[in-house]
Amino acid sequence: MESVQAIKQRFGIIGNEPKLNRSVEKAIQVAPTDISVLVTGESGVGKESIPKIIHSLSHRKHGKYIAVNCGAIPEGTIDSELFGHEKGAFTGATQTRNGYFEVANGGTIFLDEVGELPLTTQVRLLRVLENGEFIKVGSSKVQKTDVRIVAATNVNMFEAIKKGKFREDLYYRLSTIEILLPPLRNRKEDIHLLFRKFASDFAMKYKMPTIRLSDDAVLLLEKYHWSGNIRQLRNIAEQISVLEQNRTISGATLHGYLPNMGSNLPAVISADKKESDFSNEREILYKVLFDMKSDLNDLKKLTMELMQNGNNQQVQKDNEGLIQKIYREEEEEKIHFEKPKPTTTEVLQIPAPQTPIKEDDKYHFAEEIEEEETLSLHDKELELIKKSLERHRGKRKAAAEELGISERTLYRKIKQYDL
Ligand SMILES: Nc1ncnc2c1ncn2[C@@H]1O[C@H](COP(=O)(O)OP(=O)(O)OP(=O)(O)O)[C@@H](O)[C@H]1O
Ligand SMILES: [Mg+2]
């Protein structure tokens, strides 16, 4: 069996904290079995390496490894992406499509952000876990697959179960073994190590001398709360590497880069910032503007949908539920600022799913709208989201409520802006 150190090296995992080592060790131990694993831990702690370790040390290593980001796939298409669909299952389903569970037969599927799966999909997933059976959307034929599932989440699953958002039976099926990755703030000794690694990476990338931290800066670094964990540390190392002329970074300089998000620093930073609702008039204005823009885009999309589908009655019927549910929630903000991104990270040559909208038209439409967006609107959105997350100490639910968008949309924005 490869040692923990060797695996960490192979997968670029920095750190020596015993809890981190234990997590890697657990991944190594469980890899040769077919047991389902649930990787948990705050956002940015490095959950994504664990399923890769498990797959590559398993007997499935020559099979496919498909990573699916459940939070990024619209509710209306997720069943089709995961389980496939039959020709004619819905408007636009011009061909039969194989889902990831069929394609990954003999391999591993990593279900990232599994807490975001819609309840109907959870039922299908439970069936696969229980007996390897699934049914394509629009089909009645039961198919078999042999897939190992590793899932990850950064939400409190017990809370999600309590709120009826996640099935308890599925949770226990998924988490036969749970691997919890510790937050960065509990890995004090790794913080500086990781910072030095990132500083050296960015020095190489930007062809500049490596930044170094003074002793007081190291202390500050270790005391900071790191709500965004390693991802946040990496971002800050990059910012400083690019922006600071003096390559020795003092505590005061570093201080300027550390946002007050969930910080346990002395009151210095938060001194005059009132944690009230949108206290700033400008912010209120921006929010109103966003809401209007969002409504306008909803209308545009709805119009396009109706025009495109003409008098197809099925679609007319679907439109009521579908457009309200999917587009309001899923597409409303996506079409504002970004082209639809691939929703899987490591899918091996899998064709894009057929959705109720013709993909070409969808992209075209998204591009048209995108052109209309100004950069400053983009910046303001980022600013609003950041402020709201700060105010709510990184609690996405509260921030989403304040911003008037769904948690899923906020989740996507956080990913998009790498917050
Ligand atoms: N131990 C580590 N050593 C070096 N880099 C790391 C380590 N852990 C995480 N990273 C880096 O930190 C970033 C965040 O990690 P990752 O994407 O795995 O987070 P996550 O736990 O999946 O977060 P989220 O729940 O938000 O998806 C990545 O760029 C990853 O490469
Ligand atoms: Mg992740």
Side-chain angles (χ1 to χ4, degrees), residues 213-414:
L213 296 179
S214 65
D215 291 349
D216 61 332
V218 174
L219 283 178
L220 184 58
L221 198 76
E222 288 173 354
K223 231 172 72 179
Y224 189 64
H225 191 267
W226 299 114
S227 329
N229 292 293
I230 298 169
R231 186 179 289 122
Q232 187 188 11
L233 180 75
R234 192 170 179 274
N235 284 354
I236 281 171
E238 183 165 23
Q239 285 172 32
I240 301 177
S241 296
V242 173
L243 298 175
E244 287 303 318
Q245 303 245 309
N246 182 349
R247 306 307 277 175
T248 302
I249 310 301
S250 67
T253 306
L254 175 64
H255 197 280
Y257 285 89
L258 301 178
N260 192 26
M261 193 160 67
S263 160
N264 58 359
L265 289 171
V268 190
I269 307 178
S270 60
D272 51 9
K273 180 105 182 96
K274 247 178 79 191
E275 294 213 340
S276 60
D277 290 339
F278 288 101
S279 51
N280 179 326
E281 225 175 280
R282 243 173 18 144
E283 274 185 57
I284 299 172
L285 256 172
Y286 290 144
K287 179 158 166 44
V288 171
L289 267 173
F290 276 126
D291 287 349
M292 279 170 60
K293 188 87 190 165
S294 170
D295 289 345
L296 192 65
N297 279 327
D298 276 353
L299 271 172
K300 279 185 187 171
K301 192 135 181 75
L302 185 71
T303 314
M304 188 200 71
E305 265 289 292
L306 291 171
M307 278 164 57
Q308 188 186 322
N309 293 313
N311 47 16
N312 181 325
Q313 285 192 342
Q314 180 59 39
V315 171
Q316 302 257 354
K317 216 166 75 192
D318 287 351
N319 273 343
E320 288 165 24
L322 196 70
I323 291 177
Q324 264 176 28
K325 204 161 171 210
I326 301 173
Y327 299 133
R328 273 203 69 79
E329 276 242 339
E330 304 301 335
E331 307 281 21
E332 72 177 343
E333 305 263 324
K334 187 158 94 179
I335 57 172
H336 280 186
F337 301 107
E338 60 175 22
K339 284 179 204 169
K341 284 190 201 150
T343 43
T344 55
T345 50
E346 300 202 18
V347 177
L348 308 165
Q349 316 280 313
I350 296 166
Q354 297 290 322
T355 66
I357 311 171
K358 275 198 298 194
E359 288 300 307
D360 283 348
D361 290 351
K362 191 164 130 190
Y363 287 7
H364 193 67
F365 187 70
E367 266 164 24
E368 262 175 35
I369 292 173
E370 198 175 21
E371 273 169 27
E372 291 170 24
E373 305 298 339
T374 64
L375 197 63
S376 88
L377 198 55
H378 188 279
D379 290 347
K380 296 302 169 214
E381 182 188 53
L382 177 59
E383 191 183 321
L384 263 181
I385 292 174
K386 266 190 183 162
K387 281 192 174 152
S388 184
L389 282 167
E390 268 176 43
R391 254 195 299 274
H392 296 286
R393 298 184 168 252
K395 293 216 167 57
R396 285 192 284 183
K397 186 166 187 291
E401 262 169 32
E402 180 179 58
L403 291 164
I405 56 177
S406 71
E407 249 183 288
R408 283 166 80 89
T409 306
L410 178 60
Y411 163 81
R412 255 199 307 279
K413 293 282 162 204
I414 291 171

Side-chain angles (χ1 to χ4, degrees), residues 42-48 69 110 112-113 152 154 231 411 415:
E42 290 179 17
S43 184
V45 290
K47 294 187 288 298
E48 277 162 47
N69 189 335
F110 170 38
D112 201 1
E113 312 297 353
N154 57 24
R231 186 179 289 122
Y411 163 81
K415 287 264 149 162

Side-chain angles (χ1 to χ4, degrees), residues 26 36-41 158 171 174-180:
K26 260 181 156 180
S36 307
V37 177
L38 181 66
V39 189
T40 54
F158 290 109
Y171 168 76
L174 284 173
S175 60
T176 313
I177 298 274
E178 183 171 333
I179 297 183
L180 170 68

